[in-house]
Amino acid sequence: MRPARALALTAAAAAAAVAALVAPAARARAPEAPVVLLVAGESLGHLEPCNCQDGMLGGFPRRLARIARERARAGDGAGALLVADGGDLTGGPDARPAALEAKARAALDLLAQAGAAAVAVGEQDLRLGPRALRRLADAAGVPLLCANAREPGRAAAPFLAWRRVSAGGRAVVLTAVLDPELGDPTGALEVGPPAEAVAAAAAEAAATTPGGPEGPRPLVIALFHGSRARAEALLAGAPVDVIVCGHDQTEPGPLARLGRAWLVETARDARRLTRVELPTDGPAALAQLPLDGHVPDDARARARVDAYYREVRGLPLPPRQPAPEGGGLVGAATCTACHLEAGRKFAASKHHGAYARVTAKEPERAGLFECVGCHVTGHGFEGGFTSLEATPHLAEVSCERCHGVGGNHVAQGGGRGYGVKPGFPESWRATCVACHDASNSPGFDFLRALEAIKHWPDR
């Protein structure tokens, strides 16, 4: 038995040795896993959609759930996934410094949870000031990039110009630039030419690549915070492999070539997670993954968003402003006592009782300063809406929200000319889209909506 056993062991050892010799060769022949970039942008202060309409897309809780699903699907190749954000984390009507900081901090914490490899700086983010923004990003552990912004009089750049990461064993260089036309709304930064900044970042990264110029060339990805048209105008011929752009577009365009680079566009309000598969050879592949109600919330992200709501509810409100001229606010019931037909039309519209419906549907958010204004009358003004209990007659988008304060008009017994704007109907567009904007009312059709609330004779 011993010779046979020895022979069997010898044969097994030989087979193992052959396998050991063959395995490296097989591995060498295997193609590298493609790098997969998962990117969204322009959340514009919407940590999640307002849900003023059914079926709205976006939100960090859904985004992080999608990212987790992609990582699970990748399995052993999850290391080849890169998460990025195109900037404009903040936005919206609430410009209180403490509120802006709370929102930026929440968004950066959420991106840290997502494992973001790079976040571009957007012009909306700069409302905080570059130093405050950098402080928040550093505290969250999120790499904030902008290669073409400089603070006059300071040698140190306010943000990272680029960074190198490894994705599935492949070297990747990430950089970001801001469209100079968007610039810095505070005026604290000078924003230079994007092409020069991208070229300088790519050259610096190449010079410090392990293995030197003879080593494998890294994959270079540039996040351009600006529109597709501006990316095409400013970055044609840039020494990069991928350009991710996006600014104020509701539907992203197709994957395209721009010089040697693949041009990728994201959707505003971070409504979709843009997935770009980048093999070592061959064309890139693009998929726009909708962040809709079929994507369950990530539990940790849900908790962080809810913590933000609790934080901002405790912030002091800004001082109330004097009411616009016209006396005091009177409420729709006073108006409709005379304007009977207009009152019937108003009572049948969604403007009537708007705040009560929002409170029932979204109790966590209904009382937020940034949400209240579009569902009531006189928000932020003396004599205006304060609460559903104290001022129920103003807890809707009533007549005075569009036509102006009506106290004097009522006191004078009515009269022609009140609440009329020359240039009908276009003169009313700005009034409507102040709330029915692309973020909160996607697909809003001004003329169709005007017809739905028509309470005036044909003219």
Side-chain angles (χ1 to χ4, degrees), residues 3-397:
R5 184 182 179 192
L7 184 62
L9 288 172
T10 302
V18 169
L21 290 170
V22 170
R27 282 197 297 270
R29 288 193 300 270
E32 290 183 353
V35 171
V36 175
L37 177 65
L38 303 174
V39 61
E42 272 202 305
S43 48
L44 294 170
H46 301 290
L47 299 180
E48 61 181 337
C50 69
N51 288 333
C52 291
Q53 294 180 196
D54 293 332
M56 295 182 75
L57 306 178
F60 277 101
R62 293 173 182 171
R63 192 197 311 191
L64 268 64
R66 269 283 192 187
I67 290 170
R69 185 183 297 179
E70 287 295 310
R71 285 198 172 110
R73 194 175 89 174
D76 293 341
L81 265 64
L82 286 177
V83 175
D85 189 281
D88 273 357
L89 302 176
T90 65
D94 192 351
R96 293 174 294 168
L100 284 176
E101 184 163 322
K103 185 159 287 186
R105 184 166 52 248
L108 289 164
D109 286 348
L110 288 158
L111 288 168
Q113 288 183 21
V119 177
V121 174
E123 82 283 359
Q124 294 291 332
D125 305 319
L126 290 172
R127 293 189 298 169
L128 279 164
R131 296 185 194 180
L133 182 60
R134 177 67 181 269
R135 171 177 53 81
L136 292 173
D138 289 347
V142 172
L144 203 57
L145 275 57
C146 188
N148 65 328
R150 291 290 180 271
E151 194 171 357
R154 291 177 63 88
F159 308 106
L160 294 173
W162 62 276
R163 70 184 301 244
R164 182 186 293 108
V165 298
S166 178
R170 190 173 173 189
V172 180
V173 170
L174 294 144
T175 185
V177 284
L178 172 64
D179 184 350
E181 281 194 355
L182 299 173
D184 176 4
T186 71
L189 297 179
E190 294 176 348
V191 181
E196 293 178 15
V198 166
E204 186 177 336
T208 58
T209 296
E214 302 304 319
R217 187 175 67 82
L219 176 71
V220 183
I221 299 173
L223 305 174
F224 175 73
H225 188 82
S227 69
R228 185 187 190 103
R230 292 286 288 168
E232 291 170 342
L234 297 174
L235 292 180
V240 299
D241 301 290
V242 181
I243 298 169
V244 179
C245 64
H247 199 272
D248 206 31
Q249 70 295 325
T250 54
E251 292 297 331
L255 183 69
R257 278 290 197 186
L258 182 63
R260 90 178 199 200
W262 290 105
L263 184 63
V264 177
E265 190 173 25
T266 59
R268 66 167 285 159
D269 303 308
R271 293 175 187 173
R272 294 173 176 79
L273 183 63
T274 300
R275 183 185 190 277
V276 192
E277 192 168 301
L278 301 160
T280 51
D281 297 305
L286 174 69
Q288 298 286 358
L289 308 177
L291 300 177
D292 56 21
H294 294 97
V295 182
D297 286 353
D298 176 88
R300 284 183 66 209
R302 175 76 269 155
R304 183 62 184 90
V305 172
D306 290 341
Y308 161 79
Y309 292 149
R310 291 192 296 272
E311 180 181 1
V312 295
R313 272 201 297 268
L315 294 177
L317 295 175
R320 287 183 172 264
Q321 301 299 310
E325 62 181 50
L329 292 159
V330 298
T334 300
C335 302
T336 57
C338 291
H339 301 279
L340 299 178
E341 184 55 36
R344 282 191 286 270
K345 195 72 175 181
F346 170 70
S349 75
K350 292 182 179 180
H351 289 160
H352 175 55
Y355 187 67
R357 288 197 305 277
V358 170
T359 302
K361 184 178 180 181
E362 296 287 342
E364 281 291 307
R365 285 184 282 173
L368 297 182
F369 181 83
E370 63 190 87
C371 294
V372 173
C374 281
H375 304 103
V376 301
T377 298
H379 180 241
F381 291 100
E382 295 173 358
F385 174 84
T386 57
S387 71
L388 194 57
E389 296 74 25
T391 51
H393 62 299
L394 300 177
E396 54 192 356
V397 185

